[in-house]
Amino acid sequence: MELVFATHNEHKLAEIRSLLPKTIRLKSLDDIGCTAEIPETSETLEGNALLKAKYVLDQYGLPCFADDTGLEVAALNGAPGVYSARYAGEPKNEARNVEKLLSQLHGQKDRRAQFTTIIALCMKNETQIFKGVIEGVITKIPKGMNGFGYDPVFQPEGMDKTFAELTLKEKNQLSHRARAFSKLINYLEEIEKE
Ligand code: IMP
């Protein structure tokens, strides 16, 4: 089966390709000649993932999956959520996003948060949604040098380290993205057996 991952990120592509059944020929947006930035105009993670995957299916006639991730903070009523990448405004800046988050939570006792990844898989006759979640808390100060985005201030439940203090291998054993992708991979393995 030929399948498109709606991303321009070659690193993400290589990682997921190594995990998929060998019968699946995975292609990126660049591989199919799609150089457009597909607009992510929905107010939900699921809506954005669906927009991207459907765009490829409609424009190129190829089955496609797309992901979207957000950090949802309880005391901020789920913000930054779908706006996580640009929480502190344009242009996207991860250090300023973390700074804004810490200042919004200044003096706040309830520091519960969760990362959610949604993957939408759009094929000719069916659409599937896969979800991965990891719960945790937002620390008072950034800790650790690994990872990206909000990793230095996100401490997963049951651990005394932030995501940025874990190795990539350790993070991949429990992350929201890993959980969502493992559901997608199980699903694709099943349909490739049929
Ligand atoms: P995307 O949908 O994967 O592009 O993620 C949107 C935004 O969420 C990113 O720009 C990051 O700010 C944040 N984010 C997503 N995944 C992670 C993660 O694993 N650690 C920290 N921040 C993340």
Side-chain angles (χ1 to χ4, degrees):
M1 188 210 306
E2 198 167 66
L3 185 62
V4 179
F5 181 7
T7 183
H8 292 292
N9 184 330
E10 286 300 322
H11 177 75
K12 266 192 183 177
L13 188 82
E15 199 173 291
I16 182 85
R17 183 179 274 142
S18 70
L19 298 170
L20 286 175
K22 297 285 166 280
T23 49
I24 290 178
R25 294 187 305 283
L26 192 68
K27 306 210 153 171
S28 70
L29 290 175
D30 298 321
D31 291 336
I32 60 166
C34 174
T35 49
E37 274 303 327
I38 306 167
E40 296 183 37
T41 49
S42 172
E43 285 175 10
T44 63
L45 298 173
E46 182 172 323
N48 278 337
L50 278 168
L51 270 178
K52 290 186 277 184
K54 273 196 183 138
Y55 178 93
V56 172
L57 182 63
D58 293 347
Q59 299 290 321
Y60 295 85
L62 293 168
C64 178
F65 65 87
D67 68 336
D68 202 25
T69 295
L71 174 69
E72 296 150 345
V73 179
L76 303 176
N77 297 318
V82 71
Y83 306 107
S84 294
R86 288 168 178 81
Y87 188 38
E90 298 281 359
K92 174 178 165 179
N93 182 306
E94 295 188 330
R96 285 199 300 121
N97 287 343
V98 168
E99 227 170 82
K100 177 169 177 185
L101 178 64
L102 290 181
S103 84
Q104 296 284 319
L105 288 179
H106 185 71
Q108 175 60 250
K109 284 214 174 79
D110 178 5
R111 306 192 69 91
R112 288 171 302 137
Q114 64 181 34
F115 273 115
T116 300
T117 294
I118 299 286
I119 299 171
L121 170 67
C122 291
M123 297 180 292
K124 227 178 193 169
N125 298 316
E126 70 171 300
T127 295
Q128 296 283 337
I129 298 291
F130 306 94
K131 182 174 180 176
V133 177
I134 173 108
E135 295 181 354
V137 290
I138 303 300
T139 55
K140 291 194 173 135
I141 50 165
K143 287 186 286 175
M145 302 295 287
N146 301 331
F148 68 101
Y150 300 93
D151 279 349
V153 292
F154 182 81
Q155 187 171 300
E157 198 171 56
M159 298 195 86
D160 57 3
K161 287 179 176 175
T162 67
F163 263 174
E165 293 177 291
L166 301 181
T167 63
L168 181 60
K169 201 172 164 199
E170 286 168 333
K171 183 182 167 190
N172 280 344
Q173 274 160 12
L174 74 168
S175 86
H176 44 296
R177 205 174 350 269
R179 286 175 178 174
F181 272 105
S182 114
K183 290 180 187 171
L184 169 74
I185 289 160
N186 285 345
Y187 181 81
L188 291 171
E189 278 171 353
E190 283 308 312
I191 60 170
E192 282 298 274
K193 270 189 214 155
E194 283 164 16

